[in-house]
Amino acid sequence: MNVAALDLLPLRERPGDILPLAKHFLDRYGKRMELTHVEIASSAERALLNYSWPGNIRELENVIHHALLICQNGRVTSADLHLSASVISFSRNQSGNGSASNSLKSLENILADLYEQPLDNLFDTLEETIIRTAYDYCENNQVQTANLLGISRNILRHRLKRFGFLTT
C-alpha cells in the first residue's frame, strides 16, 4: 500500500543525518551481537562524514554492521569501515554533469595517485570497492548488480562471498 510518499534527499546531501544513523545502527547491531558497549572513534566519524554514500542509508547500515563484525573491543575505527579513499576522492572529483568521459578521466587520475602510493593488495581493494558500491547502488539486488557490472550472477555471488557481503 502506498499511503504516503516521502521524497528524501540522498544521504550525501544530508550530512547531519550520517552520524545519528551510524549510532543507531551501532546500537541496533551491537545489541544483536550482545556487545555491552559499542562506540565509534572520532577518525571513523570523520571518515563517515567524508564519504559520498552512493548506496545511501542501506550502504551506511551495511558498513556499520560489517565494521562491528571486525572491530576490536566494540570500538569501530576508520580502518574497520572499509571505505576506500579512491571512492571518497572519486565522488568528490565528479563533475556532476553525468558525463561518463569526465567520470572516467577522474577515475584515471585517482588510479594514477594510487599507483604513486600503492596500497597492499591494490587490485583486491579496487575490486571489492567496485563490487560493494555496485551492490549498494542496486540495493543489494544480485541480478541488477551483475547486469550493471557485465558479469554473471554466479561470479558476482562468488565475489560477494569472498568479500564478506554474503554468508551463504
Side-chain angles (χ1 to χ4, degrees):
M1 295 177 71
N2 188 7
V3 176
L6 295 176
D7 290 325
L8 290 176
L9 293 173
L11 187 56
R12 69 183 160 274
E13 294 180 27
R14 297 181 288 131
D17 292 347
I18 294 171
L19 294 181
L21 283 167
K23 290 176 182 173
H24 166 75
F25 294 131
L26 277 173
D27 291 341
R28 179 186 204 180
Y29 288 105
K31 286 178 185 173
R32 284 187 189 175
M33 297 169 62
E34 298 179 358
L35 297 173
T36 57
H37 176 73
V38 292
E39 65 179 358
I40 187 162
S42 59
S43 63
E45 288 181 347
R46 283 191 303 276
L48 291 171
L49 291 171
N50 287 327
Y51 189 69
S52 70
W53 300 109
N56 281 312
I57 294 172
R58 183 173 296 198
E59 181 181 11
L60 175 60
E61 180 178 9
N62 292 338
V63 165
I64 296 298
H65 186 197
H66 182 261
L68 275 174
L69 291 171
I70 63 170
C71 73
Q72 301 288 323
N73 303 318
R75 180 173 170 80
V76 174
T77 66
S78 58
D80 298 325
L81 297 174
H82 285 216
L83 299 176
S84 173
S86 61
V87 174
I88 295 167
S89 299
F90 183 66
S91 66
R92 296 195 182 282
N93 288 331
Q94 286 187 22
S95 61
N97 64 8
S99 169
S101 63
N102 286 342
S103 295
L104 287 174
K105 187 62 180 167
S106 295
L107 178 59
E108 289 172 5
N109 292 336
I110 291 164
L111 288 172
D113 290 344
L114 287 172
Y115 300 150
E116 293 292 322
Q117 300 172 351
L119 303 167
D120 290 340
N121 303 316
L122 177 60
F123 184 81
D124 288 340
T125 301
L126 292 173
E127 183 180 30
E128 179 181 353
T129 301
I130 290 167
I131 297 290
R132 176 178 39 82
T133 57
Y135 192 51
D136 288 336
Y137 178 80
C138 294
E139 298 181 348
N140 296 351
N141 183 303
Q142 294 176 22
V143 172
Q144 289 177 0
T145 304
N147 288 338
L148 177 67
L149 296 174
I151 59 176
S152 74
R153 182 170 172 264
N154 287 339
I155 290 173
L156 175 66
R157 284 186 56 79
H158 173 75
R159 298 297 195 296
L160 290 170
K161 287 177 185 176
R162 186 171 109 206
F163 297 128
F165 301 118
L166 286 182
T167 56
T168 58

